[in-house]
Amino acid sequence: MTDLLYSDVEEDLRASVRDLLKAKAGAEALLARVETAEPYDLKLWRTLADEVGVAGLAVPEELGGHGASAREVAVVAEELGRSVAPVPFLGSVVLATTALLHTADRDFVGRLAAGQAIGALAVPLSTAPGAGFPSSVTASADGTLTGRVGTVADASVADLLVVPAAGPDGPALYVVEASVATVSELVSFDLTRRVADVTLENAPATLVASGPEAAAALEQALLFGAGILASEQTGVAEWALTETVTYLKGRYQFGRPVGGFQSLKHRLANLYTDLVLARAAARNAADALATGTDVPIAVAVAQARNAPIAVRATEEAIQLHGGIGMTWEHPAHLYLKRAKADELALGTPGRHRARLADLVDLPA
């Protein structure tokens, strides 16, 4: 069995990402940014992409990447979950790049891997693995695209859109320069990951895959996204527990730390147990993605388990912080919003449980 513990390389990567996020994406800076007209921190993203190399982390070296595996991508996602940094990691690195890597035409991968462009996969963020190929965009015989896709993650800062479309000969995958699309950012529940509607009107596009190859590329991107999202949810839950323990140790009532009361100890112990289970499920999903072993099952288990854990951990964090946890000035609300948004992203826990039942032949 594969060792699911973090390797030395993974720990070094974690330390690099964590140090950078601590310096550039602290709570005060994060709260200030989400109130501006430019919620994404593209300067931080360029540093992550260029200096740390996260943009091309899982891209083969011959295509300009670093040749790492899903395990390293998951480590970065976990750290980004701990900081809820407003960067387009999910849309560009996890979804768009993965979709392109499963096509024969990889001319666009180099731009994404080098951080020269930001990508987005033009499907609704709620789309789950196994949902089937979308048909909201159609391709004409001359290769132009027309249609509309709602709630696309990170589309408002994307340079390239990877668009599934109904082509003349069936499912097809195209790449569109974002400049020829109309991208309308929506009011997002999650203030640190924005979604947008993408409208295409006879937009020129480049065909990168068609038929079964296109359908398979999209499915692989959604599976990869859901599996990596479990690590992000682990990071969100870890932040919630760590911050809550720190707060309760320093908050005094009746002459003693609030964290010393037995009922609160029990609640924190339950959160810790949940976090351990979430990390195990996320690591198993990342390892399955890296090795290609039982991927759909591992991803379904991780998402069914981790999404509710992240929500519960952030809800407990807000409640156990008392009055300060309810205020805008404390970042806890940003983590709760991320956890709730992630619960809907790439399939709900119920959707993943239903898929898992089918995968392991459980009766309905």
Side-chain angles (χ1 to χ4, degrees):
M1 180 178 177
T2 305
D3 187 355
L4 298 184
L5 297 176
Y6 299 99
S7 68
D8 291 341
V9 172
E10 290 165 353
E11 289 291 6
D12 290 343
L13 176 61
R14 178 200 300 282
S16 297
V17 175
R18 182 175 294 188
D19 289 346
L20 175 62
L21 295 175
K22 185 177 180 181
K24 303 295 185 181
E28 186 175 339
L30 182 63
L31 286 165
R33 177 166 290 279
V34 297
E35 294 194 66
T36 69
E38 297 181 357
Y40 280 94
D41 191 342
L42 296 183
K43 183 178 180 180
L44 172 61
W45 172 245
R46 284 189 291 270
T47 303
L48 282 166
D50 298 340
E51 297 181 17
V52 183
V54 304
L57 200 55
V59 175
E61 292 181 6
E62 60 269 22
L63 296 176
H66 299 284
S69 74
R71 290 176 58 124
E72 286 78 20
V73 177
V75 168
V76 175
E78 188 176 332
E79 289 306 308
L80 291 173
R82 288 182 77 256
S83 69
V84 292
V87 294
F89 181 79
L90 180 68
S92 188
V93 176
V94 178
L95 295 174
T97 301
T98 302
L100 291 174
L101 283 173
H102 286 84
T103 68
D105 186 342
R106 301 181 181 182
D107 291 342
F108 295 99
V109 173
R111 290 175 61 186
L112 297 179
Q116 297 171 353
I118 296 170
L121 181 62
V123 297
L125 183 55
S126 59
T127 306
F133 204 86
S135 58
S136 59
V137 176
T138 57
S140 62
D142 63 359
T144 58
L145 304 183
T146 299
R148 177 181 172 278
V149 185
T151 62
V152 177
D154 300 332
S156 58
V157 291
D159 303 296
L160 300 175
L161 300 170
V162 182
V163 184
D169 301 316
L173 209 60
Y174 293 84
V175 174
V176 175
E177 296 285 346
S179 58
V180 303
T182 301
V183 179
S184 306
E185 188 171 277
L186 303 174
V187 178
S188 302
F189 179 72
D190 180 0
L191 300 177
T192 57
R193 174 178 290 140
R194 300 302 176 95
V195 295
D197 290 344
V198 175
T199 303
L200 303 166
E201 289 288 346
N202 297 316
T206 302
L207 177 67
V208 294
S210 60
E213 182 188 8
L218 177 61
E219 178 65 13
Q220 289 302 315
L222 294 173
L223 265 177
F224 193 82
I228 297 300
L229 193 65
S231 289
E232 178 180 291
Q233 291 159 336
T234 301
V236 170
E238 182 183 12
W239 178 90
L241 177 60
T242 302
E243 288 297 310
T244 304
V245 169
T246 300
Y247 177 78
L248 293 181
K249 282 182 176 179
R251 180 84 166 100
Y252 277 71
Q253 287 286 352
F254 308 110
R256 58 182 293 192
V258 172
F261 293 111
Q262 188 174 21
S263 62
L264 299 189
K265 285 183 178 180
H266 288 171
R267 291 169 70 170
L268 294 173
N270 288 337
L271 286 181
Y272 176 76
T273 302
D274 283 346
L275 177 59
V276 170
L277 295 174
R279 177 166 284 114
R283 292 295 292 167
N284 183 57
D287 187 70
L289 289 166
T291 61
T293 305
D294 293 330
V295 174
I297 293 175
V299 169
V301 168
Q303 270 305 306
R305 186 65 179 162
N306 287 23
I309 287 175
V311 171
R312 179 169 176 269
T314 50
E315 288 175 341
E316 285 283 79
I318 287 178
Q319 186 172 26
L320 294 178
H321 271 79
I324 188 64
M326 301 289 182
T327 65
W328 184 268
E329 289 75 17
H330 195 281
H333 67 95
L334 297 177
Y335 287 83
L336 175 60
K337 290 167 184 173
R338 171 63 68 86
K340 290 296 289 183
D342 280 358
E343 191 177 29
L344 302 177
L346 300 170
T348 63
R351 178 68 179 265
H352 286 285
R353 284 194 294 269
R355 188 163 195 244
L356 179 61
D358 289 337
L359 290 169
V360 299
D361 297 324
L362 285 176

